Amino acid sequence: MRLLGLLSASLLALPHGLAAQVSVADEGSFTISRNGARVGTETFTIRHSGPGGGDAYVANGTVDIQGRKLMPALRADASFEPIAYQLEVRQRDVVVLRLKGIAGRGRFSTQVRTAKGESTKEFITAADALLLDDDVFHQYYFVAQRAQRLGATGGTIAVIVPQRTEQQVLRAKWDADEQLTIAGSKVTARHLVLTEPGGASRNLWVDAQGHLLKISLDGTGLVAQREDAPR
């Protein structure tokens, strides 16, 4: 696990230089509400490096929600599957959790530090599982991208939830397009419905380029609405 800590820092950085061909896949901010009341914000950037840089994505964000600050950093491959992950959680400016994770060969290994000490865990995952952590909304970008590859009929998407050290399998299906108002402008949005094993649904809306516009988690009452139109 010491090796896990040493590896994750390098794996989370995109290469520099002209050959890397780094571009921004999505970038913006969300207003987060619970049952209609504002409870937080999230800012994020998802960068993509082309073949010269290994064809990878790096997603960084800061989530402020009800007194907690989450700072996740994810590196994923061209199929949106996780390579390395880091998360720091602060409660009133005090670090309460540090998590590092490495994925590969159908397994996800974690190292977690809290006030109670350090723990490690490794669990088996689907070979094509994505990463989708609790209270982090921009990571749904990768779920929507995978769903687009599944096509109109949809299918199942396995997701790793690092904070719970578990995997879930969601059923994905595209619904009818809708009109959303983002920063005062009407935007045509594709509507993706994700159904959890227990029956609760999560709803995503993305524009034609796959930028996240809105996420609604019916089981928790949480909604993340984009503050500005995608650029």
Side-chain angles (χ1 to χ4, degrees):
M1 276 299 169
R2 185 180 179 186
L3 178 62
L4 184 153
L6 293 173
L7 282 174
S8 57
S10 60
L11 286 173
L12 283 164
L14 282 174
H16 296 285
L18 293 176
Q21 301 175 4
V22 177
S23 61
V24 175
D26 199 1
E27 182 177 40
S29 58
F30 296 114
T31 295
I32 305 169
S33 61
R34 187 189 297 273
N35 300 322
R38 181 183 172 117
V39 295
T41 59
E42 175 173 338
T43 58
F44 70 94
T45 302
I46 302 172
R47 295 181 176 88
H48 176 239
S49 65
D55 201 3
Y57 292 85
V58 169
N60 299 87
T62 300
V63 186
D64 286 287
I65 181 168
Q66 294 183 310
R68 298 171 69 231
K69 177 178 283 190
L70 295 83
M71 289 168 283
L74 167 66
R75 182 180 176 95
D77 64 19
S79 298
F80 319 117
E81 296 158 23
I83 299 169
Y85 183 61
Q86 292 183 359
L87 174 69
E88 182 177 280
V89 180
R90 292 175 175 265
Q91 188 89 33
R92 296 180 178 84
D93 294 328
V94 176
V95 176
V96 295
L97 180 145
R98 283 195 176 100
L99 182 152
K100 295 180 181 180
I102 294 288
R105 298 182 179 181
R107 294 178 180 274
F108 192 75
S109 303
T110 63
Q111 178 187 62
V112 179
R113 292 181 181 178
T114 67
K116 296 180 180 179
E118 183 176 303
S119 63
T120 61
K121 186 173 182 179
E122 182 177 85
F123 57 99
I124 296 173
T125 66
D128 60 351
L130 307 182
L131 187 144
L132 187 61
D133 213 353
D134 288 332
D135 293 331
V136 180
F137 291 93
H138 68 268
Q139 292 168 358
Y140 281 97
Y141 171 86
F142 300 107
V143 178
Q145 294 292 321
R146 173 63 60 78
Q148 290 192 60
R149 292 189 179 183
L150 291 175
T153 57
T156 58
I157 300 175
V159 296
I160 298 164
V161 189
Q163 290 183 72
R164 284 185 265 161
T165 58
E166 68 178 38
Q167 176 184 272
Q168 292 182 332
V169 178
L170 307 174
R171 180 162 294 279
K173 184 178 180 180
W174 291 101
D175 207 339
D177 291 357
E178 298 181 21
Q179 291 288 312
L180 296 184
T181 300
I182 305 295
S185 299
K186 292 286 186 181
V187 179
T188 300
R190 301 190 68 200
H191 181 192
L192 177 65
V193 181
L194 304 171
T195 305
E196 301 176 7
S201 62
R202 311 180 192 183
N203 294 271
L204 313 183
W205 290 266
V206 299
D207 67 9
Q209 289 73 44
H211 301 122
L212 288 170
L213 301 175
K214 183 179 177 180
I215 303 102
S216 175
L217 311 183
D218 293 351
T220 65
L222 285 170
V223 174
Q225 175 89 25
R226 195 168 188 123
E227 294 180 340
D228 298 307
R231 296 185 295 274

